[in-house]
Amino acid sequence: MSTFQTLAGFRDFYPDDCAFKNFIFERFRQSAITFGFEEYDAPILEPMELFMAKSGEEIVSQLFNFEDRGGRSVAMRPEMTPSLARMVGARASTLRRPIKWFSISEMFRYERPQRGRLRSFYQFNADIFGNRSSYADAEIILLGIHVLKNFGLTAEDFHVRLSDRQLWTLFIRSHNMGEDDIPGVLGIIDKIEREEPSKTIESLDKICKGNGRKIFDDLLEIRAIRSISGIREFFKKFANDIFAERIDELAQLLARITAFGVSDFVTIDLNIVRGLAYYTGFVFEIFERSGQSRALAGGGRYDNLIKRLGYADLPAVGFAIGDVTLGNLLKEKNIVPKLSKNIHCFIVYSTQTEKLALQQATMLRGQKINTDYCLDPTTFSKQLKMAAQVNAKYAIIFGEEEAKTGHAKVKDMLSANEIVVAIDRLVEVISR
Ligand code: HAM
């Protein structure tokens, strides 16, 4: 008989995996709340057009989409940002600003499954709306760093590669290319690390009419820059105030990050342009330092998206961290705490004491104390073994003698100390 398996790129979560996932989600939630963000959610299934128009070609080619029974084109969300922009846009006039929202939710992309990339994964998204200054960009980058530090990762483990789409856009414009060429050139830059140079030059040539080689040489130089002074030096030759102003803004953002004491985590790196179509300003991706793995997180400023969805002109900046690359990294670094079953009391009983014991179990559960017991009472020694296996803090033993006088033995499973306690004092004793 054939057995069933999950679809490629999808995961079953056995209790251990689920405990790990919940641990990650709790840290995400804790970090966001610490930074003053509020949680939201949105539908998993959306009208396909929402992503067609807003996410960019790459994501659209990876959509899980189908026609529903009513003949509508729908898609499983590949990312949260378009749904979020719709939600915020729809209530833009009534929401108190700045709007700082986060979510933890499942995404679907029909990618080739590989290490760090699946077809179903979770993302922690955090976004700020209603602030055009780089304070908001800094806050988002700080949160990204805080989340990862909150797992015990350090500046030796990961870094934020910070770039600027606007600077790239100015560069493209200064080469007499039209506005329509900008997405194409950004796409070429995005893929440059993985592409043969001759192919990149050929693609550039097509857009900028025979100037491909010259632009390619410039790209090589820009991609090697790692400092503000390096950026100033390179763009000096354009002798253009717009470049200088934009570089000043980048320097200001870096100064803010430095003031928060996390500059060790941030590297200037113009290789990052981001695959998604809606970004308009500073963009970043977070990578493991070794550079071995796929990105841990990515984000940036997207000031036009809400307006393009037909709502108010509301600036936005945000990012998302995925659970897959992060989970791999935490396991590799061995910094996952022991995630055992969290049982406080394990009730040990016999058929003679069953009534009293199970009443007490119900009482403890009613007090929100995690309590378990063996479903078929066997010998006390086997039950105590089970108590140890579930890592119970206490075993509460209802022996016949003690039960007769309304008492039970409380055994501390770590020290093995036992004391006899009147059952009306059980909660007090095990709560110490
Ligand atoms: P993204 O770079 O497409 O950005 O995804 C962010 C993170 O999600 C990635 O860095 C990665 O950790 C995870 N991720 C993406 N695709 C996969 C996959 N197939 N398997 C496993 N993990 C994956 C966005 O989605 C933007 N919407 C982020 C954003 C929020 N920008 C502004 N606000």
Side-chain angles (χ1 to χ4, degrees), residues 393-417:
K393 190 153 191 270
Y394 296 106
I396 306 182
I397 307 163
F398 288 86
E400 284 163 38
E401 282 311 305
E402 290 91 7
K404 273 185 201 152
T405 58
H407 286 75
K409 252 190 227 157
V410 174
K411 176 173 180 174
D412 183 317
M413 295 298 290
L414 202 64
S415 66
N417 284 342

Side-chain angles (χ1 to χ4, degrees), residues 217-236:
D217 289 342
D218 273 354
L219 294 187
L220 283 189
E221 247 185 272
I222 297 172
R223 292 178 54 230
I225 298 172
R226 290 290 173 273
S227 64
I228 285 285
S229 55
I231 293 183
R232 284 200 206 283
E233 185 58 35
F234 178 87
F235 288 98
K236 211 165 58 185

